[in-house]
Amino acid sequence: ENELGELARMFNAMATHIEHNTNIIVDRMKQVLEEQTTAAKLLIRRDLELTRANERLREIDKIKTEFISIAAHQLRTPLSSVKWVLKMLAQGDLGAISSDQREAVMKAYTSNERMIALVGDMLDVDRIDAGRLRYTFIPTRLEHILEGTLVAFSDELKKKRLTLKEDIPPA
């Protein structure tokens, strides 16, 4: 019942309070650790799912690339044959044709050339994807592209009785 006893009671009360708070903190830390463990497991599972999905997308992309490559190579041969026949027709190697027929053949020849260029573009995309394409930029005259487009659509314009005026500045 003296000061030393009072100090001991206060010390014991403080120790009990610290123990109680420590138990609360430890319990909360255990709960947070369990939540983090659960979240980590979910993240690992999700990462595995995403990894598998990414692998599948790579497989699909590879199949798509192979298909485009095969299709482009398969298209090139018949288009080249058509080009050869159209050129022979236009030059009169297979017999004389009228100027209207020659014009129609040349339009078909030009369209066939565009198809061959598209096939070439498909093969270029394949080479780009594979990292095998080396390219060089070439200055291009826009007016040549526009003139080719006008020629390609001239029949459609005539059929629809439309007139398209060409006004391309030289620069």
Side-chain angles (χ1 to χ4, degrees):
E1 299 291 330
N2 60 19
E3 292 176 352
L4 192 55
E6 182 67 26
L7 180 63
R9 278 190 299 279
M10 294 273 241
F11 186 79
N12 285 338
M14 185 177 68
T16 303
H17 182 68
I18 289 173
E19 183 181 19
H20 175 71
N21 286 342
T22 302
N23 287 337
I24 290 172
I25 291 170
V26 168
D27 288 344
R28 180 65 183 131
M29 288 176 68
K30 286 180 182 177
Q31 183 183 5
V32 168
L33 182 60
E34 286 176 18
E35 290 171 359
Q36 287 180 342
T37 302
T38 302
K41 288 177 183 177
L42 289 172
L43 285 173
I44 290 169
R45 186 176 305 133
R46 187 68 175 155
D47 182 58
L48 181 60
E49 290 170 2
L50 290 172
T51 300
R52 287 180 182 152
N54 194 31
E55 288 171 0
R56 183 67 181 135
L57 287 172
R58 285 185 185 158
E59 288 174 25
I60 291 169
D61 188 54
K62 182 180 176 190
I63 292 168
K64 174 211 54 138
T65 301
E66 289 172 359
F67 172 78
I68 288 173
S69 178
I70 290 169
H73 283 289
Q74 293 296 322
L75 286 171
R76 183 187 288 186
T77 302
L79 287 172
S80 295
S81 298
V82 168
K83 175 183 174 179
W84 177 64
V85 170
L86 290 171
K87 189 171 187 175
M88 288 176 56
L89 279 169
Q91 292 174 343
D93 295 344
L94 301 176
I97 59 174
S98 71
S99 62
D100 287 344
Q101 290 171 327
R102 181 172 278 98
E103 185 179 333
V105 168
M106 288 311 297
K107 286 179 184 174
Y109 182 86
T110 302
S111 293
N112 189 63
E113 283 287 307
R114 280 198 306 273
M115 289 295 296
I116 291 171
L118 285 172
V119 169
D121 291 346
M122 288 171 61
L123 291 171
D124 287 344
V125 167
D126 180 47
R127 289 183 198 105
I128 289 169
D129 283 346
R132 295 180 282 125
L133 181 69
R134 303 287 181 248
Y135 52 88
T136 305
F137 291 102
I138 301 170
T140 303
R141 307 271 318 176
L142 184 60
E143 60 267 20
H144 295 304
I145 295 170
L146 293 173
E147 288 168 357
T149 303
L150 291 173
V151 168
F153 286 100
S154 64
D155 281 347
E156 286 296 318
L157 292 169
K158 285 179 189 174
K159 285 179 189 174
K160 295 183 179 185
R161 296 182 188 151
L162 295 173
T163 305
L164 185 61
K165 183 178 178 190
E166 177 183 339
D167 184 17
I168 303 169

